[in-house]
């Protein structure tokens, strides 16, 4: 059990698929394309094999605790641990969605935040010393998307824990059910879910720093995918560039950061999301 292993969730299409393609070309080890649907996942693997690449496949539904545990046990049996984990799986309601805000809030946060928390709880014990974790966030995951200054202060509290963050996320769901969410949280369940993902990145980095694990959140850009109704201007290959940079190339000093698709570190807790802390060449 000496082979390195990289894992990408929600990878049968879109940015996740392109990340797997990039890892297969450059990562010195096994690359797992995972997906909820087995048929779609296997079809994606076959497509990459036609390109001369050799990804491996395993079913993984982050909304299913049993699926997470089966996958964990498989990795534990066959590898010494996880070298790269790209948390890509997510959902988004369309702008034209007719579901009530409360339904959109509960379902979006369930998948994008709470199930990601569960996935990390199950898989993080397998992370090797020096491992890299990339959480696919969004420009919507910038803290400036939260109108309330009091809430923003809670998100950047240096003592914030994952259970406390989860309470904050549940607070948005509760407010959406009461119709009182807009003033403090805004109207986008997707934005709140991705703010949660970015905040969780910072919390996990603090708690795992002693293992030299690098955890970063990334905005992959506005990409032409099903999730954006194919309105994005970037190709999936372009959307994969920053996640691949963090997974393979970024200096070890880049950890607990919010990274733009241009490979720039963006100050997450400043009012302007455009305040650049560091710049790296494409």
């Amino acid at each position: 059990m000496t082979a390195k292993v990289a894992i990408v969730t929600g990878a049968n299409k879109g940015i996740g698929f392109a990340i797997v393609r990039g890892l297969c070309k450059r990562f010195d080890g096994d690359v797992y394309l995972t997906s909820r649907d087995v048929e779609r996942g296997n079809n994606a693997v076959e497509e990459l094999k036609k390109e001369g690449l050799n990804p491996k496949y395993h079913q993984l539904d982050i909304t299913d605790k049993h699926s997470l545990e089966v996958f964990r046990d498989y990795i534990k049996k066959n590898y010494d641990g996880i070298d790269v984990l790209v948390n890509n799986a997510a959902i988004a309601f369309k702008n034209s969605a007719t579901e009530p805000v409360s339904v959109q809030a509960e379902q979006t946060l369930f998948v994008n935040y709470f199930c990601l928390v569960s996935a990390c709880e199950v898989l993080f014990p397998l992370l090797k010393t020096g491992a890299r974790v990339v959480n696919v966030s969004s420009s919507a995951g910038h803290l400036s998307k939260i109108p309330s200054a009091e809430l923003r202060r809670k998100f950047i509290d240096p003592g914030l824990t994952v259970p406390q963050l989860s309470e904050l996320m549940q607070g948005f769901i509760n407010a959406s059910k009461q119709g009182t969410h807009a003033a403090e949280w805004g109207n986008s369940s997707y934005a709140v879910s991705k703010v949660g993902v970015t905040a969780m990145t910072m919390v996990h980095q603090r708690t795992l720093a002693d293992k030299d694990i690098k955890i970063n959140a990334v905005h992959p850009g506005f990409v032409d995918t099903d999730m954006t109704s194919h309105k994005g201007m970037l190709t999936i290959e372009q959307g994969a560039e920053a996640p691949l940079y963090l997974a393979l190339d970024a200096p070890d000093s880049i950890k607990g950061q919010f990274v733009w698709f241009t490979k720039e570190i963006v100050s997450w807790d400043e009012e302007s999301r455009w305040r650049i802390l560091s710049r790296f060449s494409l």
Side-chain angles (χ1 to χ4, degrees):
M1 295 196 300
T2 58
K4 293 182 178 181
V5 63
I7 297 158
V8 185
T9 69
N12 62 281
K13 62 179 181 178
I15 297 170
F17 179 78
I19 293 171
V20 170
R21 177 188 278 136
L23 287 170
C24 285
K25 291 178 179 179
R26 295 191 50 217
F27 180 70
D28 182 22
D30 293 338
V31 179
Y32 276 85
L33 185 156
T34 72
S35 66
R36 180 175 55 181
D37 184 278
V38 174
E39 182 178 0
R40 292 176 181 175
N42 281 325
N43 288 342
V45 166
E46 289 306 311
E47 185 176 341
L48 291 172
K49 286 184 175 179
K50 290 176 183 176
E51 299 176 13
L53 304 175
N54 191 34
K56 295 181 178 293
Y57 178 74
H58 200 289
Q59 192 274 346
L60 178 61
D61 180 356
I62 68 167
T63 71
D64 182 346
K65 189 72 174 290
H66 177 68
S67 175
L68 282 165
E69 291 171 345
V70 168
F71 181 64
R72 174 201 62 197
D73 293 345
Y74 172 84
I75 294 297
K76 192 172 183 179
K77 179 181 178 181
N78 291 281
Y79 299 91
D80 293 330
I82 297 170
D83 297 275
V84 173
L85 174 61
V86 181
N87 289 311
N88 172 71
I91 66 167
F93 282 83
K94 304 296 184 184
N95 290 333
S96 59
T98 58
E99 290 86 349
V101 172
S102 60
V103 172
Q104 294 188 37
E106 195 154 38
Q107 293 184 11
T108 303
L109 266 68
F110 172 69
V111 176
N112 295 2
Y113 174 77
F114 287 104
C115 290
L116 179 55
V117 170
S118 295
C120 292
E121 288 175 348
V122 172
L123 297 177
F124 270 22
L126 300 186
L127 292 175
K128 293 180 182 177
T129 297
R132 294 186 174 211
V133 178
V134 181
N135 294 325
V136 178
S137 184
S138 166
S139 60
H142 192 273
L143 192 57
S144 62
K145 296 296 184 179
I146 303 298
S148 166
E150 181 180 354
L151 282 174
R152 293 197 302 271
R153 283 193 293 271
K154 291 180 179 179
F155 276 109
I156 63 173
D157 183 339
L160 184 67
T161 65
V162 171
Q164 290 169 342
L165 177 58
S166 295
E167 285 185 16
L168 276 175
M169 294 288 98
Q170 186 61 47
F172 168 69
I173 295 173
N174 295 342
S176 72
K177 291 180 178 179
Q178 297 166 7
T180 60
H181 60 283
E184 292 189 327
W185 292 94
N187 283 310
S188 173
S189 297
Y190 182 76
V192 173
S193 75
K194 289 300 188 177
V195 167
V197 169
T198 311
M200 185 185 66
T201 300
M202 315 300 180
V203 174
H204 278 156
Q205 182 61 66
R206 289 198 301 269
T207 58
L208 291 174
D210 61 336
K211 290 188 67 176
D212 190 32
I213 292 170
K214 276 73 70 175
I215 308 174
N216 292 287
V218 62
H219 163 44
F222 191 37
V223 180
D224 180 0
T225 64
D226 289 347
M227 187 173 285
T228 65
S229 299
H230 298 282
K231 295 178 180 177
M233 297 171 289
L234 302 179
T235 66
I236 58 173
E237 289 75 24
Q238 290 172 317
E241 286 182 4
L244 286 167
Y245 167 72
L246 290 171
L248 299 173
D249 302 318
D252 287 347
S253 58
I254 299 181
K255 51 190 175 182
Q257 300 291 348
F258 184 49
V259 178
W260 221 241
F261 67 98
T262 52
K263 302 174 188 174
E264 296 163 320
I265 296 175
V266 174
S267 178
W268 183 63
D269 57 354
E270 291 290 331
E271 286 298 321
S272 173
R273 71 184 184 197
W274 305 107
R275 183 181 176 208
I276 305 300
L277 298 185
S278 299
R279 186 179 297 272
F280 301 94
S281 65
L282 288 168

